[in-house]
Amino acid sequence: MEREGRAVGAASGDLVTIGEFARSSRLSAKALRRYDELGLLRPALVDPVNGYRYYDPAQVEGARLVAWLRRIGMPLNRIGRVVALDAGAAAVEIRAYWARVEAETAARRDLAMYLVDHLSVEGRTMARMPDNAENTGSSGSAGAGAGALAIRCAALTDIGVARTANQDAAFAGPRLLAVADGFGEGGAEASAAAIEALKPSTWGREGALSAADLLNALEDTADSAARAVREAVAPCAAPDGSGTTLTAMLWTGSRLGLVHIGDSRAYLLRGGELFRITHDHSLVQLMIDDGSLSPEEAASHPAPALLLKALVGEARPAAVPVASRPDVRLREAQAGDRYLLCSDGLSTVVDTADLRAAVVTADDPQEAVRRLVDLAREAGGPDNVACVVADVVVEE
């Protein structure tokens, strides 16, 4: 390495040696050789006789960009795409990458906090139990003296006013609530496949799942849905341009497991207040989060549907890991809760106050979904609409 750093060939002209370039770019010569091998940062000249590498000083900014991207954890293959872009496009790509990192970190944080709470409760319960006591209660039950919980639900989709085909899908059953908003050539197939993939993973057994089993089921469900979408859109001319959002809840008796990716949404009505319990994986939401766009400005953004995460196909036929995994988390249910799941064909055209009014005043889920679809159509119906409403009730 030292000899290569000192050797300056006459043919190099204004170029600098790898040693000098390493010092100015704050990269090691070893890293520079590695980036050359990967095609991320090619030398301006390689001596054909001794193989020494020479760099143009103008390459320093590019080298520093590679180093900075490595420091934020970006994979090398993605760095290769970023450094080939102009500055504006590279900024958009970096923002999209970091949004995914933050979303995945938030999902892991939520899971970690749930595990802390769950294990703390289990520890206190075990400490109170006599040594010869037998725990006869089933995990996820409503508790001694309380009736078992169940859900009453309804689903509805609508083509809308402006579209000629419906790519949204919705499902409401005793153990699954789901909406999916397809896009691209294979959008209808993608949304249907994502929901269909959820059904076998959880409904194969009766009774409540433990927290540990439910967490495993959620992970399996996310993988199954992603795989099903890839297979459904594989025949498309551009499979990576087709896909779907997915917002689903798996019911286990007292807990709801949430699987979410994209900009479809889930809301909870509790105590008369409507809370959004999902976070949009969209460029507009990212700009709201970082303060560069106000919620009011977001309503008129030219690209409101630009997704940062979704279930999509792959350009290559070989199966590869999905870069964007859905968020998964657990929620405790209470009797009297009402949940709304919907595609953005509803949430982007009907304001939250009207959503709340429709959800609060409807006597049952069937009436609620009809009212919600009517509201979307009255607002112009520019997109397909899918919605699910579910009530948590005490079984008689």
Side-chain angles (χ1 to χ4, degrees), residues 33-358:
R33 294 190 190 95
R34 175 65 172 159
Y35 296 158
D36 178 14
E37 293 168 359
L38 295 173
L40 294 179
L41 188 66
R42 296 291 194 188
L45 173 70
V46 177
D47 192 301
V49 177
N50 54 33
Y52 293 156
R53 296 172 172 86
Y54 299 95
Y55 293 83
D56 190 321
Q59 292 179 278
V60 167
E61 281 303 310
R64 288 174 178 168
L65 177 58
V66 172
W68 290 332
L69 294 175
R70 287 297 291 156
R71 289 181 65 182
I72 66 173
M74 185 177 286
L76 288 171
N77 62 344
R78 187 160 185 169
I79 290 176
R81 296 198 300 271
V82 172
V83 297
L85 300 172
D86 61 49
V92 171
E93 182 73 12
I94 294 168
R95 170 173 278 182
Y97 167 76
W98 194 247
R100 292 178 179 178
V101 171
E102 290 187 326
E104 290 162 2
T105 301
R108 290 196 296 269
R109 180 197 61 221
D110 291 346
L111 177 56
M113 292 302 99
Y114 174 83
L115 291 172
V116 169
D117 292 343
H118 172 68
L119 294 174
S120 297
V121 170
E122 279 198 348
R124 290 194 296 270
T125 301
M126 293 301 295
R128 290 195 300 267
M129 290 177 61
D131 291 340
N132 61 351
E134 181 179 358
N135 182 12
T136 58
S138 63
S139 174
S141 66
L149 297 179
I151 55 174
R152 307 267 173 79
C153 52
L156 187 62
T157 66
D158 186 74
I159 195 172
V161 174
R163 297 297 178 92
T164 58
N166 191 355
Q167 293 186 311
D168 282 10
F171 180 87
R175 289 182 176 271
L176 171 66
L177 313 171
V179 297
D181 181 357
F183 56 85
E185 176 190 352
E189 293 79 6
S191 60
I195 292 180
E196 190 63 29
L198 306 189
K199 298 176 184 178
S201 63
T202 306
W203 326 143
R205 73 174 86 182
E206 293 297 326
L209 294 175
S210 70
D213 286 340
L214 181 53
L215 289 172
N216 289 337
L218 290 176
E219 293 292 340
D220 292 343
T221 292
D223 291 341
S224 297
R227 186 165 51 251
V229 169
R230 290 199 300 271
E231 292 172 355
V233 303
C236 296
D240 53 341
S242 294
T244 186
T245 69
L246 177 65
T247 301
M249 303 191 84
L250 315 184
W251 173 248
T252 69
S254 69
R255 293 186 181 93
L256 283 161
L258 175 67
V259 178
H260 169 68
I261 187 167
D263 61 357
S264 294
R265 293 181 176 180
Y267 296 85
L268 166 64
L269 179 69
R270 178 178 287 175
E273 295 296 323
L274 188 67
F275 307 95
R276 176 150 62 106
I277 59 175
T278 54
H279 198 72
D280 293 350
H281 300 134
S282 65
L283 177 62
V284 165
Q285 184 64 59
L286 174 64
M287 296 174 72
I288 293 173
D289 294 341
D290 66 19
S292 59
L293 196 67
S294 71
E296 293 74 22
E297 292 169 333
S300 58
H301 192 274
L306 182 58
L307 296 175
L308 300 180
K309 292 178 67 175
L311 300 178
V312 296
E314 295 290 343
R316 298 173 299 280
V320 296
V322 178
S324 298
R325 292 178 60 85
D327 296 343
V328 296
R329 64 189 66 173
L330 305 180
R331 297 192 61 85
E332 297 294 331
Q334 296 180 12
D337 287 347
R338 174 170 281 185
Y339 286 90
L340 164 64
L341 281 61
C342 65
S343 63
D344 69 337
L346 177 67
S347 59
T348 58
V349 299
V350 178
D351 65 38
T352 304
D354 290 336
L355 281 180
R356 178 188 175 279

Side-chain angles (χ1 to χ4, degrees), residues 18-30:
I18 190 172
E20 294 174 64
F21 191 74
R23 286 189 290 273
S24 61
S25 65
R26 303 295 180 89
L27 289 169
S28 68
K30 180 179 179 181

